Amino acid sequence: MKGNELSTLIELIRKYNKTGDLSMVEKAYNFAVEKHDGQTRKSGEPFVNHPIQVASIIAEMEFDVESIVAALLHDVVEDTDSTREDIVREFGETVALLVDGVTKLDKIPYSSKEEQQIETLRKMFFAMAEDVRVIVIKLADRLHNMRTMKYMPEERQRAISRETLEVYAPLAHRLGMSKIKMELEDLSLRYIDPIGYYEIVDNIAQKREEREKYIGEIIEILQKKLDELHIKAHVVGRAKHFYSIYRKMFMQNKTIDELYDLFAVRVIVDTVSDCYAVLGMVHELFKPMPGRFKDYIAMPKPNMYQSLHSTLIGPNGTPFEIQIRTWEMHQIAENGIAAHWKYKEGKSGSSDMDDKLEWIKNLLEIQKDSTSPEDFMHTLKIDMFSDEVFVFTPKGDVVSLPAGSTPIDFAYRIHSAVGNRMTGAKVNGKIVPLSHELKNGDFIDVITSSVPHGPKIDWLKICKTSQARNKINQWFKKVNREENIEKGKETIEKELSKNSIPVKYINDESFISPLLKKYGFNGIMDLYAAVGYGSTNANRFVTRFLTECKNKQLQEMELTPAELNVPLKVKTTAKPNTSGVVVEGIDNCMVRFSHCCNPVPGDKIVGYVTRGRGVAVHRADCLNMIHAAASEQERNRLISVHWAGDTPPSSFQSMITITASDRVNLLVDILTVINDAKAPVTNVNARTGRNDLAIIEITTEISNTSQLDTIKRKLKALSGVISVSRSRQ
């Protein structure tokens, strides 16, 4: 059976690659089969079927051998014991780059599932900037997962479908891959709103014959006229995909019978001149609707799409849409960057390809000054996935901007120096306020001063694009850098103090360097400046820094009594005291739980012999115990303790810190989750920080870590919650 799958894949490749060496494909196939042996999917089928199908999707788009090999191997690093070095050794550096680009960051600890997903996307975009085939493989991977998702739990189906609609379908659109985009949207709709989806499917099926007859009449009229004019053309009817119908019904509040463009006619010709000849012929045969003509041949969309669009009144007075394009335009419209790769013979380094992917470079440039994953997603959705407007420079050059953009966005799109010298703007020859919303076809003339006086701070509220916002922020950061450094240092040190972390640790290269590098800071001063300016959240950074400290120290010294040289007594039949904790070698001693880390049953714990107050029980990962273990004098005060097997039912205090986007009823929803878990709340401290973030600290009484983990999991599932962590004090 496996041999048949390889034969089918080879046959698919041979349709467009007649003589190429496919030995690497066979080698990758065998490698994937061996590494995924014994693994199954939710459906029960062998896991290796998934990479084989992803490779087939890549082959259908007629990509090169390296892409197909990478598709076959795209899960081996993530889901088997194979490493990147294994891929480099067996298949080369290029294939390894492609595989690495689509590998999730699931082995790195993050504060939330959402942050991990966003960081994985960021990693993918950086790899995509080096080789666009990374994103093509990722889209093929997501497409096959969506096709086979019926075996997953409903909640997971909806979550994956939402992510697909928010990220992957718009990304396919931005790359011009409309065929994949439409299938991703339709599959997502099926899981998000199955009732609405099947309602549309049934309605389309019921009236299909009637609509196809109408479109057939139009095609017949067009074909007859084309033959008379000796224009070679392929004329075909095109059904609108379900998600597009669904959106139109909801956005325009119409029933499906009120939508006139469920079906359209597409005319594909050989040359651009034929496109315009057909347009003239069509407008002669049918009356065009005013304001419904678009020339995407003269002004292509940013995703490379080219076509002539017109809406016409049909034979019985019913409007219909027509699209006119060449065969090359059709291939690029269907497969976008994939078709472009084929037409340019895979020359990824060509300047033409670079121009097509300029938006990726702009995105990564913007991210240099952003350490927040949420900022990245905001940039992605606003700058890359929104509708666009086309405006003109005074010389007639076309500039594409997100819908809703202002002259400020236009100025910074031209050059940062133009934005920094800007004093006003003219639109179509008339002076307009800088908050003026640009429209399609506007001619923009930026009025500048002779010296770069810099932007105004309120421009940040006016501009639409992250590119403009980033350039404005850069100006103010540079001007006020020293002040921002002082302010940021003070803020960081306050947060360190709140978390019981000695300030000296922020200056310890072994602790701080990995984190600075991870989040794109060149040095500690850059961090202080970013915090002082407000582009980086101090609380969030210190939380990550704390995790980094703990991980590093725990790697260097496992907190077990033996390795900490804890002076263990000769074991006797030790009895638990009323606290439910056994102190090795000592019966009936006074035991108290430390408030710096609030241990609860289920935590790994260690004891600390205090002066006159018995044994203080700490969590093993408590920083105070890590510091004590590092000191020879204090280390002798550590003693081995453990939870009694029959720990009596009791309540233990634990504080949970929730970071979330501020919204109405946020606190109510959080308290409801905790109340449902039957965990009494003893204290609540809530505050709002920068970027509309809410920081909520709740002290609650719980019985063990299992109950705490359940509460944390349910809190993370709440709308707007970014992270949930167990606080130290």
Side-chain angles (χ1 to χ4, degrees):
M1 187 67 182
K2 289 187 174 69
N4 291 339
E5 291 168 341
L6 177 60
S7 300
T8 303
L9 179 60
I10 295 292
E11 187 179 333
L12 199 57
I13 301 168
R14 283 297 181 209
K15 288 181 181 179
Y16 64 93
N17 186 345
K18 306 292 184 185
T19 59
D21 181 8
L22 303 185
S23 59
M24 191 67 81
V25 174
E26 185 173 352
K27 182 180 178 182
Y29 174 89
N30 291 329
F31 189 89
V33 169
E34 178 190 344
K35 291 297 179 181
H36 290 298
D37 184 40
Q39 295 180 344
T40 57
R41 306 191 82 207
K42 294 284 186 184
S43 62
E45 67 177 4
F47 185 89
V48 76
N49 288 2
H50 169 65
I52 292 169
Q53 290 304 314
V54 173
S56 298
I57 294 170
I58 298 296
E60 286 168 4
M61 290 188 280
E62 303 187 4
F63 261 79
D64 58 346
V65 169
E66 284 179 332
S67 302
I68 295 165
V69 168
L72 285 167
L73 303 173
H74 79 273
D75 274 329
V76 294
V77 174
E78 188 176 318
D79 295 322
T80 75
D81 59 1
S82 298
T83 64
R84 189 185 190 282
E85 289 68 33
D86 294 334
I87 305 299
V88 173
R89 185 174 59 253
E90 298 292 333
F91 302 98
E93 185 63 45
T94 301
V95 171
L97 168 69
L98 297 175
V99 172
D100 187 54
V102 295
T103 300
K104 294 193 198 80
L105 298 173
D106 57 353
K107 294 175 183 175
I108 300 174
Y110 288 100
S111 60
S112 68
K113 182 71 174 175
E114 291 76 14
E115 183 182 354
Q116 178 187 310
Q117 289 173 331
I118 295 169
E119 290 294 352
T120 297
L121 277 173
R122 280 171 62 147
K123 172 176 176 279
M124 183 180 70
F125 270 90
F126 276 102
M128 179 182 168
E130 289 188 48
D131 197 320
V132 70
R133 293 174 291 178
V134 167
I135 196 62
V136 177
I137 295 168
K138 185 60 184 178
L139 287 171
D141 170 52
R142 178 52 61 107
L143 179 59
H144 184 253
N145 280 331
M146 292 297 297
R147 287 174 177 174
T148 56
M149 203 165 58
K150 64 180 180 180
Y151 298 99
M152 300 191 76
E154 284 186 21
E155 184 180 338
R156 191 80 185 112
Q157 288 175 347
R158 286 193 292 271
I160 292 172
S161 296
R162 279 194 296 271
E163 184 187 44
T164 300
L165 275 182
E166 289 177 3
V167 177
Y168 290 100
L171 186 52
H173 170 69
R174 194 64 181 80
L175 293 168
M177 302 168 74
S178 64
K179 193 174 177 182
I180 286 182
K181 168 199 172 256
M182 288 189 288
E183 188 174 354
L184 287 175
E185 288 178 336
D186 285 350
L187 289 169
S188 298
L189 178 60
R190 184 196 297 177
Y191 294 110
I192 289 174
D193 186 357
I195 295 174
Y197 173 82
Y198 286 109
E199 216 172 84
I200 293 171
V201 172
D202 293 342
N203 200 298
I204 291 288
Q206 289 170 13
K207 300 191 177 181
R208 183 181 297 278
E209 189 175 332
E210 177 187 328
R211 293 189 182 102
E212 286 181 348
K213 182 181 178 183
Y214 172 63
I215 292 295
E217 291 175 7
I218 294 170
I219 291 174
E220 190 177 338
I221 294 169
L222 290 173
Q223 195 65 64
K224 183 178 178 182
K225 191 67 175 177
L226 287 164
D227 292 341
E228 287 178 13
L229 297 174
H230 304 290
I231 297 175
K232 185 181 176 184
H234 177 69
V235 188
V236 64
R238 178 188 67 86
K240 209 171 187 68
H241 71 294
F242 300 133
Y243 182 71
S244 178
I245 296 170
Y246 180 87
R247 278 193 68 195
K248 226 164 204 184
M249 288 171 63
F250 279 88
M251 290 174 70
Q252 299 178 10
N253 196 26
K254 290 182 177 180
T255 65
I256 196 166
D257 293 323
E258 294 175 299
L259 300 178
Y260 58 79
D261 58 347
L262 295 179
F263 285 86
V265 175
R266 181 176 289 150
V267 182
I268 308 174
V269 294
D270 292 332
T271 66
V272 173
S273 58
D274 284 346
C275 290
Y276 288 101
V278 171
L279 178 68
M281 180 202 82
V282 168
H283 281 186
E284 184 182 339
L285 290 171
F286 305 105
K287 186 173 290 186
M289 289 181 65
R292 299 282 298 179
F293 169 67
K294 293 175 183 175
D295 187 345
Y296 292 120
I297 294 179
M299 290 192 298
K301 290 187 176 184
N303 64 3
M304 300 170 291
Y305 179 87
Q306 286 185 289
S307 201
L308 297 175
H309 288 200
S310 189
T311 303
L312 310 153
I313 305 298
N316 61 358
T318 302
F320 72 96
E321 184 184 62
I322 191 164
Q323 298 174 351
I324 308 164
R325 60 178 67 150
T326 66
W327 283 105
E328 182 173 344
M329 291 174 192
H330 178 63
Q331 287 298 321
I332 291 174
E334 293 285 298
N335 296 317
I337 202 72
H340 187 79
W341 180 279
K342 175 189 168 187
Y343 275 97
K344 300 304 175 185
E345 299 177 353
K347 295 175 184 176
S348 61
S350 70
S351 60
D352 187 47
M353 178 69 85
D354 287 345
D355 290 344
K356 304 298 181 187
L357 299 176
E358 186 65 28
W359 65 275
I360 302 173
K361 295 176 184 177
N362 289 338
L363 174 67
L364 298 180
E365 182 67 29
I366 289 165
Q367 289 310 300
K368 285 182 180 178
D369 289 326
S370 171
T371 58
S372 166
E374 291 75 22
D375 287 349
F376 176 82
M377 286 306 294
H378 178 78
T379 299
L380 203 61
K381 291 177 180 179
I382 296 298
D383 278 13
M384 302 306 148
F385 301 156
S386 62
D387 292 333
E388 59 267 350
V389 293
F390 299 94
V391 295
F392 295 92
T393 68
K395 293 182 179 179
D397 296 326
V398 180
V399 176
S400 169
L401 292 165
S405 292
T406 68
I408 297 172
D409 298 297
F410 175 84
Y412 280 103
R413 177 60 58 86
I414 299 302
H415 198 279
S416 57
V418 176
N420 291 338
R421 293 172 186 241
M422 184 180 190
T423 58
K426 290 181 181 179
V427 174
N428 302 323
K430 296 180 180 178
I431 293 179
V432 296
L434 294 182
S435 58
H436 177 82
E437 192 172 304
L438 303 179
K439 302 289 189 300
N440 271 319
D442 283 345
F443 278 82
I444 320 298
D445 189 3
V446 178
I447 303 170
T448 60
S449 68
S450 58
V451 291
H453 56 78
K456 295 180 180 178
I457 195 69
D458 59 356
W459 288 9
L460 290 169
K461 298 176 182 178
I462 298 173
C463 62
K464 174 78 173 179
T465 63
S466 293
Q467 183 182 17
R469 193 175 298 111
N470 180 60
K471 296 298 182 185
I472 295 168
N473 281 332
Q474 281 182 356
W475 171 274
F476 285 107
K477 286 177 185 176
K478 186 176 179 181
V479 170
N480 301 318
R481 181 172 171 80
E482 293 305 319
E483 182 183 329
N484 290 333
I485 287 173
E486 286 300 317
K487 185 178 177 183
K489 184 178 181 183
E490 183 182 342
T491 305
I492 286 280
E493 289 179 354
K494 281 182 180 178
E495 286 295 330
L496 291 171
S497 177
K498 277 175 59 180
N499 286 274
S500 301
I501 306 172
V503 173
K504 66 179 182 179
Y505 280 90
I506 199 75
N507 298 314
D508 187 328
E509 287 291 321
S510 63
F511 283 153
I512 195 66
S513 290
L515 203 58
L516 291 175
K517 184 178 179 182
K518 182 177 178 181
Y519 291 100
F521 293 115
N522 293 322
I524 191 70
M525 294 305 168
D526 285 349
L527 167 65
Y528 289 152
V531 171
Y533 181 72
S535 62
T536 297
N537 181 277
N539 176 268
R540 184 178 297 168
F541 187 87
V542 168
T543 300
R544 291 169 181 165
F545 176 64
L546 176 62
T547 303
E548 203 78 22
C549 288
K550 284 163 54 175
N551 288 344
K552 185 171 179 61
Q553 293 241 25
L554 289 172
Q555 285 170 8
E556 293 175 353
M557 53 178 85
E558 288 291 333
L559 286 182
T560 62
E563 292 186 18
L564 288 175
N565 297 319
V566 173
L568 295 180
K569 313 291 183 189
V570 176
K571 289 190 178 180
T572 62
T573 310
K575 299 176 183 177
N577 49 56
T578 55
S579 67
V581 170
V582 175
V583 181
E584 294 293 351
I586 304 175
D587 288 340
N588 299 322
C589 70
M590 184 171 68
V591 172
R592 65 183 181 83
F593 295 103
S594 172
H595 292 297
C596 64
C597 55
N598 290 319
V600 299
D603 287 331
K604 290 182 180 179
I605 52 177
V606 65
Y608 180 82
V609 180
T610 66
R611 292 177 174 84
R613 292 191 296 163
V615 175
V617 178
H618 292 257
R619 280 163 42 191
D621 61 353
C622 174
L623 269 188
N624 287 330
M625 292 301 96
I626 294 175
H627 298 157
S631 165
E632 186 175 348
Q633 182 179 356
E634 293 295 307
R635 190 184 303 129
N636 292 326
R637 305 178 74 87
L638 298 176
I639 190 168
S640 180
V641 299
H642 64 264
W643 299 103
D646 55 346
T647 303
S650 184
S651 61
F652 299 81
Q653 283 204 343
S654 185
M655 194 190 336
I656 303 169
T657 300
I658 303 108
T659 303
S661 299
D662 199 10
R663 63 171 173 84
V664 176
N665 291 331
L666 173 64
L667 184 57
V668 173
D669 292 345
I670 289 171
L671 292 174
T672 300
V673 167
I674 296 174
N675 183 59
D676 289 346
K678 296 181 172 54
V681 173
T682 58
N683 188 51
V684 177
N685 179 24
R687 64 185 186 276
T688 55
R690 296 179 184 272
N691 303 322
D692 293 326
L693 287 180
I695 314 294
I696 301 171
E697 296 171 336
I698 296 181
T699 303
T700 182
E701 294 182 355
I702 59 169
S703 56
N704 51 48
T705 53
S706 177
Q707 184 186 16
L708 180 62
D709 290 341
T710 300
I711 292 171
K712 285 167 64 179
R713 187 176 66 253
K714 290 184 177 180
L715 288 174
K716 285 179 182 177
L718 291 177
S719 173
V721 171
I722 296 168
S723 67
V724 179
S725 61
R726 184 175 171 189
S727 303
R728 302 172 45 71
Q729 55 179 13

